[in-house]
Amino acid sequence: MFIVSIIIKAQVFFLYSHAFAHKMNKATLYLLIVLIMLPQIVETIYSPALPSLAQAFNVAPHAIAQTLSLYFVGFAFGVLLWGILSDYIGRKPVLLLGLMLYSLASCAMLYVENFYLLLLLRCCTGFAIAVGSVITQTMFRDQLSPAQMIPIFSIVGVFIAISPSIGLFLGGVLTQWHGYVAVFYFLAISSGLLCIVTAVLSTETLSQKPTPPPIVKVVKQLLSDRKVIGYAALITGYNLLIFSYYLKSPFLFAQHPTALTWLPYTGILFSIGALLGVMLNRYCLNHTQLKWVQLNSKQLLLMSALICLAASGLSFKLANSAYFFVPMILLMLAYSMAIPILLAQALSHYVNYKGIAGAVLGFIYYIAIGLLLEALKWLPNLSLIFSSVSVALLLIMCVMLKKKCL
């Protein structure tokens, strides 16, 4: 974790340098960093506890996997509601409301004894914590132009990429200490504290509340936009690669006792892969003019898809090995190369209603993640998941290039 802390400090420095140039409040910036990492930390911190949960509730691994897919379904509806609501009442009130609801749902999970009630609360926590994703991205968009967002999001991307690794480490330590109960206590206490900090430090970034648009019209416009749908499909694909691993890996580690001690520390290796991807992304962006960057972003996306294919091939080779987790280093590299570009450019033509546009985009890809994770859990191994999703990513990019919407 020392390596991860060094990475985070370096990225905070670079991000603050950019944000200060654009007159972003320092306290708001630090809070946004925590909040944008939060959804993936609270999900992956839960991953090492899946076998413990399955045993405690006496359910099969494929049944306990529903807690992840339903989390994303709830997350999708949360993104939609919070994003739209933030355009009406402001960003800060929505942030506080979502964090308060998450804290209450996390506390309730401590007293659950019925598996179906657990599923319901997991869906509720996903719904609530979605505020950390859509509102933080919207607050960045409030204060930055589309051109300024590309370098900022290339730095933010490392936090998004590292956050699952932090969650995996914390979850592994807590689970080894006191099973899933320790994880639930940590989530309940930390979310309550974060809610208080947000109330004190956050600032409103919506300078002028826009005239409420006809939501149905905006949604129809987004759903008919081939670029938005294509970018949502790509974001879905990259997240499927990451979260399918976190869904299946705890049970794979249980099959390889010699590798079980690696579980909390694999996050460090994944963080190194993520850092390399962001460094490559940033190097290309910092050594070109903006027009060339737009062209190079396509090359970076194609390169990341090819890296995913290479990782899939390696996954087949290591499928029965205690080192089955090694391909994830390459996948994290590809993820951190692609996600900053996709998030920065997906809504470049929707500057008037950033909250609503971000909400609809997030709803599309999070509902897809939840539903596809539920389907992919039936594939017998990670290698098949990695290869099928990687091929799909490459095909989608080729179609988007042909349609000139990438």
Side-chain angles (χ1 to χ4, degrees), residues 220-237:
K220 285 182 177 179
Q221 182 180 353
L222 285 162
L223 293 179
S224 63
D225 190 325
R226 291 183 297 184
K227 176 183 175 182
V228 170
I229 298 301
Y231 273 63
L234 293 176
I235 295 170
T236 298

Side-chain angles (χ1 to χ4, degrees), residues 120-300:
L120 176 62
L121 287 173
R122 282 289 293 164
C123 191
C124 290
T125 56
F127 175 84
I129 204 61
V131 75
S133 175
V134 65
I135 300 303
T136 48
Q137 291 183 42
T138 303
M139 292 174 80
F140 274 115
R141 292 186 180 108
D142 283 339
Q143 302 178 81
L144 303 170
S145 69
Q148 293 168 340
M149 279 177 59
I150 294 177
I152 290 291
F153 265 63
S154 72
I155 303 170
V156 168
V158 79
F159 295 105
I160 297 174
I162 287 175
S163 54
S165 304
I166 297 173
L168 186 64
F169 177 84
L170 291 174
V173 172
L174 290 169
T175 301
Q176 289 180 0
W177 174 49
H178 203 57
Y180 75 91
V181 176
V183 173
F184 284 1
Y185 267 108
F186 179 86
L187 291 176
I189 294 171
S190 61
S191 59
L193 292 175
L194 184 59
C195 189
I196 296 172
V197 172
T198 301
V200 174
L201 295 182
S202 64
T203 58
E204 181 58 63
T205 60
L206 182 62
S207 57
Q208 182 178 0
K209 296 179 182 178
T211 303
I215 295 177
V216 174
K217 182 178 179 181
V218 175
V219 171
K220 285 182 177 179
Q221 182 180 353
L222 285 162
L223 293 179
S224 63
D225 190 325
R226 291 183 297 184
K227 176 183 175 182
V228 170
I229 298 301
Y231 273 63
L234 293 176
I235 295 170
T236 298
Y238 282 104
N239 278 280
L240 284 174
L241 291 171
I242 302 303
F243 285 101
S244 60
Y245 171 84
Y246 291 122
L247 179 63
K248 286 185 173 289
S249 62
F251 300 99
L252 294 175
F253 274 105
Q255 296 173 15
H256 298 280
T258 57
L260 194 57
T261 54
W262 278 92
L263 178 57
Y265 306 103
T266 52
I268 297 174
L269 298 176
F270 301 162
S271 297
I272 293 172
L275 179 61
L276 291 174
V278 171
M279 288 174 62
L280 177 60
N281 192 313
R282 187 190 301 161
Y283 178 83
C284 294
L285 297 180
N286 288 345
H287 289 77
T288 59
Q289 298 300 317
L290 184 59
K291 183 178 179 180
W292 191 89
V293 168
Q294 296 296 327
L295 294 173
N296 193 58
S297 66
K298 301 173 186 177
Q299 298 170 2
L300 285 172

Side-chain angles (χ1 to χ4, degrees), residues 334-346:
Y335 178 92
S336 58
M337 286 173 59
I339 287 296
I341 296 172
L342 296 173
L343 291 178
Q345 296 181 352

Side-chain angles (χ1 to χ4, degrees), residues 315-346:
S315 180
F316 276 106
K317 187 174 181 61
L318 299 176
N320 298 317
S321 164
Y323 301 101
F324 67 90
F325 57 85
V326 171
M328 269 298 293
I329 301 173
L330 290 176
L331 291 177
M332 290 299 296
L333 186 151
Y335 178 92
S336 58
M337 286 173 59
I339 287 296
I341 296 172
L342 296 173
L343 291 178
Q345 296 181 352

Side-chain angles (χ1 to χ4, degrees), residues 16 19-20 22-32 143 201-203:
Y16 179 61
F20 182 79
H22 304 309
K23 300 180 180 180
M24 184 181 290
N25 180 271
K26 186 175 180 179
T28 300
L29 173 65
Y30 289 158
L31 184 61
L32 289 181
Q143 302 178 81
L201 295 182
S202 64
T203 58

